């Protein structure tokens, strides 16, 4: 008797989770469980114009991201858009500044094995030609 209740509970749970996933996809809702942003439920908008402050899903290289539903198999990470084309972006070892907004972004100089980390963006002022994104992780 106990085993039947346990199996019934598992089947109902799986059905419920499946239903939530299907409804979420139909209603353009994304559930975030990654450390890239606070865990929660986000409404997905499909629009062409991207503005500063928008939250976007970014697909990282599958070499550095976990397996997920991006085109190349990685998990999408949620990030804020902090700069759009033609914005002026200033980068130093502690912050990224876009117009008058300042984002904390300390540079890590060494990895956990004390090897020097090569920076892909050097200190300086940039005229954005694309989109700059910023996250919590």
């Amino acid at each position: 008797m106990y085993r039947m209740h346990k199996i019934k509970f598992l089947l109902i749970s799986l059905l419920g989770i499946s239903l939530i996933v299907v409804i979420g996809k139909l209603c353009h809702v994304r559930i975030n469980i990654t450390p890239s942003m606070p865990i929660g439920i986000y409404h997905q908008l499909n629009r062409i114009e991207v503005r500063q402050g928008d939250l976007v899903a970014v697909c990282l290289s599958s070499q550095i991201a976990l397996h997920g539903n991006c085109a190349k198999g990685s998990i999408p990470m949620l990030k804020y858009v902090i700069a759009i084309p033609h914005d002026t972006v200033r980068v130093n070892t502690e912050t990224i500044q876009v117009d008058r907004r300042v984002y904390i972004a300390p540079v890590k100089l060494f990895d956990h094995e004390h090897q020097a980390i090569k920076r892909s963006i050097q200190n300086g002022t940039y005229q954005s030609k694309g989109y700059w994104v910023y996250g919590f992780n």
Side-chain angles (χ1 to χ4, degrees), residues 69-123:
N69 61 353
C70 284
K72 294 192 178 189
S74 65
I75 290 178
M77 305 293 279
L78 294 174
K79 304 289 181 191
Y80 284 107
V81 175
I82 62 170
I84 60 175
H86 309 293
D87 281 344
T88 300
V89 180
R90 289 178 184 79
V91 177
N92 65 45
T93 56
E94 297 296 322
T95 63
I96 299 171
Q97 182 178 347
V98 182
D99 298 325
R100 292 187 177 139
R101 290 178 300 283
V102 177
Y103 303 90
I104 304 300
V107 173
K108 190 172 182 183
L109 300 175
F110 299 97
D111 66 13
H112 67 282
E113 294 178 350
H114 307 291
Q115 301 294 317
I117 297 174
K118 183 180 178 200
R119 291 179 62 189
S120 57
I121 300 173
Q122 300 303 314
N123 290 352

Side-chain angles (χ1 to χ4, degrees), residues 29-47:
V29 171
R30 172 165 288 180
I31 299 172
N32 181 55
I33 57 170
T34 71
S36 65
M37 290 292 286
I39 292 174
I41 299 171
Y42 296 86
H43 184 248
Q44 181 179 347
L45 300 175
N46 293 321
R47 62 181 160 146

